[in-house]
Amino acid sequence: MVIIITGASHVGKTILAQKMLEKNKYPYLSIDHLKMGLIRSGITDLTPEDDDELTEYLWPIVREIIKTAIENEQNLIVEGCYIPFDWRNSFDEQYLPSIRFICLAMSDEYVDSHFEEIKSHSTDIETRLDDSYCTAEQLKQDNHRIIYGFRSNGEQITLITENYDDTIRGVSD
């Protein structure tokens, strides 16, 4: 089984991946780690701010890692925001039953009422070097983009509206 975890910025993708790793003992691939390895090694001239270009650049690599894991009957969690909205079109029907897709997003109301808490958890698993760009409005815009993009492609969204921990617990079970 390959579990893809994606969603908006600051929504808890890495925390969910860590919880699933601990519970299921599945290894996980952070697309952010792959991104930074390719950027820092000079293999690409893209920067961490080149989100759309990074999705186009990274997805073919991530897609083939997913296929290889499935073909080898290995479990893997793939976590990150660089998943294209139409990701299913990248796989033949034989692969899809072995993929569980999880997309996390927060409602505007949740962001408004929990913004300081969201920011306080932004470094629970990994250190963010610069989080100054993160505002409530920016988070809401990012969540809208994710919700619209994936729903337009027929994907289900796990929407965090009230209790974050209960929602994450429900998804990880």
Side-chain angles (χ1 to χ4, degrees):
M1 174 64 61
V2 173
I3 301 168
I4 297 174
I5 301 171
T6 193
S9 178
H10 288 76
V11 78
K13 298 177 296 290
T14 308
I15 291 171
L16 177 58
Q18 183 69 36
K19 288 179 185 284
M20 293 180 107
L21 172 146
E22 292 168 2
K23 178 181 178 188
N24 300 311
K25 308 296 186 234
Y26 290 4
Y28 90 81
L29 168 67
S30 166
I31 302 174
D32 278 343
H33 292 172
L34 177 61
K35 168 189 77 176
M36 292 310 297
L38 292 166
I39 289 171
R40 287 180 172 172
S41 68
I43 292 174
T44 181
D45 292 328
L46 295 171
T47 71
E49 288 78 37
D50 296 327
D51 284 338
D52 292 337
E53 295 89 349
L54 281 165
T55 299
E56 290 177 28
Y57 183 78
L58 294 169
W59 180 243
I61 299 165
V62 172
R63 177 193 66 220
E64 297 307 317
I65 291 170
I66 291 170
K67 287 180 182 178
T68 302
I70 292 169
E71 290 163 357
N72 289 312
E73 299 180 6
Q74 295 172 310
N75 298 315
L76 179 65
I77 299 165
V78 176
E79 171 269 320
C81 61
Y82 303 105
I83 307 293
F85 297 133
D86 65 346
W87 69 272
R88 285 183 192 273
N89 295 336
S90 299
F91 296 98
D92 294 334
E93 287 298 317
Q94 70 192 40
Y95 293 101
L96 293 173
S98 299
I99 300 173
R100 179 177 176 208
F101 178 76
I102 300 170
C103 180
L104 302 174
M106 295 175 179
S107 69
D108 286 354
E109 296 78 15
Y110 187 85
V111 171
D112 286 336
S113 60
H114 294 87
F115 180 69
E116 291 306 319
E117 183 181 355
I118 292 165
K119 289 273 291 190
S120 74
H121 288 288
S122 68
T123 59
D124 283 359
I125 302 292
E126 58 191 7
T127 302
R128 293 178 189 265
L129 298 179
D130 180 15
D131 205 23
S132 60
Y133 69 91
C134 183
T135 65
E137 284 309 309
Q138 182 271 328
L139 284 183
K140 289 190 279 189
Q141 288 175 6
D142 192 30
N143 278 278
H144 289 205
R145 184 182 64 78
I146 292 295
I147 292 167
Y148 176 79
F150 282 112
R151 280 192 178 155
S152 295
N153 282 275
E155 298 296 342
Q156 297 243 330
I157 308 296
T158 299
L159 190 61
I160 300 163
T161 59
E162 293 179 20
N163 188 301
Y164 178 85
D165 291 328
D166 288 348
T167 303
I168 295 302
R169 199 173 305 109
V171 171
S172 66
D173 288 343

